[in-house]
Amino acid sequence: MMANLFSSFDPCANFNIPFNWMSSMISFFFIPSLFWMMPNRMNFIIQKSLISLHMEFKILTKKNNTLMFISLFFFILINNFMGLFPYIFTSSSHLIFTLTFALPLWLTFMIFGWLNNTYHMFAHLMPQGTPPILMPFMVCIETISNIIRPGTLAIRLSANMIAGHLLMTLLGNTGSLVNFLIFIVIMIQCLLIILESAVAMIQSYVFAILSTLYSSEV
């Protein structure tokens, strides 16, 4: 019996050691082998996904170095899916996990942009066609929006993962019900799992897409 609804997100396990964070390493076992003599369907799906993501990220970044963003997409996607399995810790629901990716990426883009494209970064603070009376306000707004970017990236991913798991936890703790009501709850749980699978894919895609957009600005 859980002490509260957020007990499933507690990273501490036995002996007060956070062994649950090791669930993020389980994702490496799902990486398909590229050395099969006869490629299977999983390799075919992964290869098609890699080509599609590369073509899309290439358009956004206007460069061919999309390996970092594709790797980021698949790593977050697998960790989101791992949280849907029973008794597996959802690492992507914690800000310490999401900020680990969002903050270094944002800092790298900002440092690179201000050191190499300083004039472009200053020009980016003032959208084209802004009236002179609104220019000071637009500089403040654009500066604040740039500063909060890593926070919005991290919170968006963790909040969406927490919300779906809380809904499934609430439905799982309904207690003793009539057989007919239990059947309805099970059907709702199945629909929620399908919804959470879609959320896991969408949030990892949004995280990777926004990261490529931020890199294209510098």
Side-chain angles (χ1 to χ4, degrees):
M1 190 68 181
M2 291 188 303
N4 53 62
L5 289 176
F6 294 92
S7 297
S8 59
F9 304 105
D10 187 7
C12 292
N14 295 328
F15 307 108
N16 293 325
I17 301 175
F19 284 120
N20 284 332
W21 287 109
M22 295 178 64
S23 63
S24 300
M25 300 297 105
I26 301 176
S27 59
F28 291 107
F29 291 101
F30 288 86
I31 299 176
S33 175
L34 300 178
F35 301 100
W36 295 107
M37 186 173 296
M38 295 293 293
N40 55 12
R41 294 176 182 175
M42 185 176 180
N43 286 336
F44 179 78
I45 293 173
I46 293 293
Q47 186 178 5
K48 287 295 183 182
S49 302
L50 286 172
I51 294 173
S52 300
L53 289 171
H54 171 71
M55 297 304 296
E56 187 164 354
F57 292 163
K58 182 181 177 181
I59 295 172
L60 295 174
T61 58
K62 300 180 179 62
K63 295 179 181 179
N64 290 323
N65 52 350
T66 59
L67 179 61
M68 178 180 68
F69 302 109
I70 294 174
S71 303
L72 180 66
F73 168 78
F74 276 104
F75 186 74
I76 296 176
L77 176 65
I78 294 173
N79 276 281
N80 290 346
F81 270 114
M82 293 301 295
L84 297 177
F85 289 95
Y87 305 107
I88 296 182
F89 177 65
T90 310
S91 56
S92 56
S93 63
H94 284 255
L95 283 176
I96 193 173
F97 179 87
T98 53
L99 275 175
T100 302
F101 297 105
L103 190 58
L105 282 174
W106 177 80
L107 281 175
T108 305
F109 298 152
M110 288 295 104
I111 293 172
F112 177 83
W114 284 105
L115 290 180
N116 296 282
N117 301 317
T118 308
Y119 179 78
H120 174 74
M121 295 298 290
F122 275 116
H124 185 69
L125 296 177
M126 184 61 60
Q128 189 175 3
T130 304
I133 193 172
L134 295 178
M135 286 182 178
F137 299 101
M138 291 303 299
V139 172
C140 295
I141 292 172
E142 289 294 326
T143 304
I144 294 172
S145 66
N146 284 331
I147 293 174
I148 65 174
R149 278 178 177 179
T152 55
L153 267 180
I155 293 172
R156 181 185 292 109
L157 177 58
S158 60
N160 279 280
M161 297 308 298
I162 288 174
H165 283 70
L166 284 180
L167 281 175
M168 290 191 289
T169 304
L170 283 171
L171 286 176
N173 294 334
T174 51
S176 58
L177 294 173
V178 187
N179 294 332
F180 179 70
L181 293 178
I182 290 176
F183 177 75
I184 295 177
V185 170
I186 291 174
M187 292 298 296
I188 296 175
Q189 284 274 22
C190 293
L191 292 176
L192 269 178
I193 290 176
I194 297 173
L195 177 63
E196 277 299 293
S197 301
V199 168
M201 290 186 287
I202 292 171
Q203 289 305 314
S204 56
Y205 179 76
V206 167
F207 196 98
I209 283 290
L210 289 178
S211 300
T212 55
L213 288 175
Y214 295 160
S215 68
S216 65
E217 292 181 359
V218 299

